[in-house]
Amino acid sequence: MYKEKTALSAILGLGIAIGGVVFIGWGDIGISADNLKGDLLSVGGTVAVAIHMLIGQKLVVRMPSYLYSLIVFLSAAGVFAVYNLFMGISFFNYPAKEWGIFVLLAVVPTVFGHILFNWLLQYVSATTVSMNILGEPVGASILAYLLLGEQLTTLQWAGGLLVMIGLAVYLYAGRRKTIRMADAIQNAS
């Protein structure tokens, strides 16, 4: 879309990482209305993140990343508020434990995820930021294993390893490209 060139090795890394994500999710694949709904929501979320990253890549060159993040968060809060009102979902009637989970969800993924990703869009392409998001299922699987006693299959462990290898290949290809660009700029000076 932005006419960015990607090295063949980076595309290989992308393919390896996506294959790993498929392995991680393979254990949950099933045919039912609930599975289909979850799969559609997952695909919709992926499309939304891709659009968010592509728009963000263009906007963070014109405005500070923290302002872009604030606009995104306020927009999301507005959409969820309307959804909750429409669906009759309570805003306040939750036990203290749930509020703790809400705070953790608001702080950890927001501060250490979205704000960081939006800030990185100033320095690297949306594709590079999006590739790193593929590591999320690996981290989520490890946390589920450690904190919730979730059992992971051999295929899921292998998928996590493939994701990390694919990310390493992709990032190494991007690093080589960045070094070549920096050398070209320095030689032109």
Side-chain angles (χ1 to χ4, degrees), residues 19-103:
V21 170
V22 169
F23 281 11
I24 291 171
W26 196 262
D28 293 346
I29 290 178
I31 300 174
S32 72
D34 284 341
N35 287 349
L36 180 60
K37 180 181 176 184
D39 293 342
L40 291 173
L41 287 171
S42 178
V43 170
T46 302
V47 170
V49 167
I51 291 168
H52 163 67
M53 290 293 163
L54 291 170
I55 291 170
Q57 182 175 336
K58 288 298 180 185
L59 290 179
V60 295
V61 297
R62 295 183 176 99
M63 70 173 66
S65 62
Y66 69 85
L67 180 58
Y68 174 67
S69 295
L70 180 64
I71 292 168
V72 169
F73 298 152
L74 289 175
S75 299
V79 167
F80 282 119
V82 169
Y83 176 82
N84 284 1
L85 286 171
F86 181 73
M87 298 300 289
I89 298 171
S90 173
F91 282 84
F92 303 106
N93 199 15
Y94 298 99
K97 180 181 177 185
E98 299 297 318
W99 280 107
I101 292 170
F102 294 160
V103 169

Side-chain angles (χ1 to χ4, degrees), residues 6-185:
T6 305
L8 185 58
S9 57
I11 293 170
L12 175 66
L14 180 122
I16 292 169
I18 290 174
V21 170
V22 169
F23 281 11
I24 291 171
W26 196 262
D28 293 346
I29 290 178
I31 300 174
S32 72
D34 284 341
N35 287 349
L36 180 60
K37 180 181 176 184
D39 293 342
L40 291 173
L41 287 171
S42 178
V43 170
T46 302
V47 170
V49 167
I51 291 168
H52 163 67
M53 290 293 163
L54 291 170
I55 291 170
Q57 182 175 336
K58 288 298 180 185
L59 290 179
V60 295
V61 297
R62 295 183 176 99
M63 70 173 66
S65 62
Y66 69 85
L67 180 58
Y68 174 67
S69 295
L70 180 64
I71 292 168
V72 169
F73 298 152
L74 289 175
S75 299
V79 167
F80 282 119
V82 169
Y83 176 82
N84 284 1
L85 286 171
F86 181 73
M87 298 300 289
I89 298 171
S90 173
F91 282 84
F92 303 106
N93 199 15
Y94 298 99
K97 180 181 177 185
E98 299 297 318
W99 280 107
I101 292 170
F102 294 160
V103 169
L104 284 174
L105 284 171
V107 172
V108 177
T110 301
V111 173
F112 300 112
H114 296 286
I115 289 176
L116 177 62
F117 290 148
N118 292 339
W119 176 76
L120 285 171
L121 287 171
Q122 298 173 97
Y123 305 103
V124 296
S125 72
T127 306
T128 300
V129 175
S130 296
M131 272 298 293
N132 285 285
I133 294 172
L134 288 178
E136 183 181 347
V138 177
S141 296
I142 292 170
L143 286 174
Y145 175 77
L146 294 174
L147 300 176
L148 303 174
E150 180 85 17
Q151 295 302 309
L152 300 175
T153 66
T154 303
L155 193 60
Q156 289 169 321
W157 284 110
L161 182 61
L162 279 176
V163 167
M164 300 314 290
I165 290 170
L167 286 174
V169 169
Y170 182 88
L171 292 172
Y172 183 74
R175 181 177 175 268
R176 286 193 344 236
K177 179 181 172 184
T178 302
I179 290 170
R180 282 194 310 268
M181 286 174 50
D183 288 343
I185 291 169

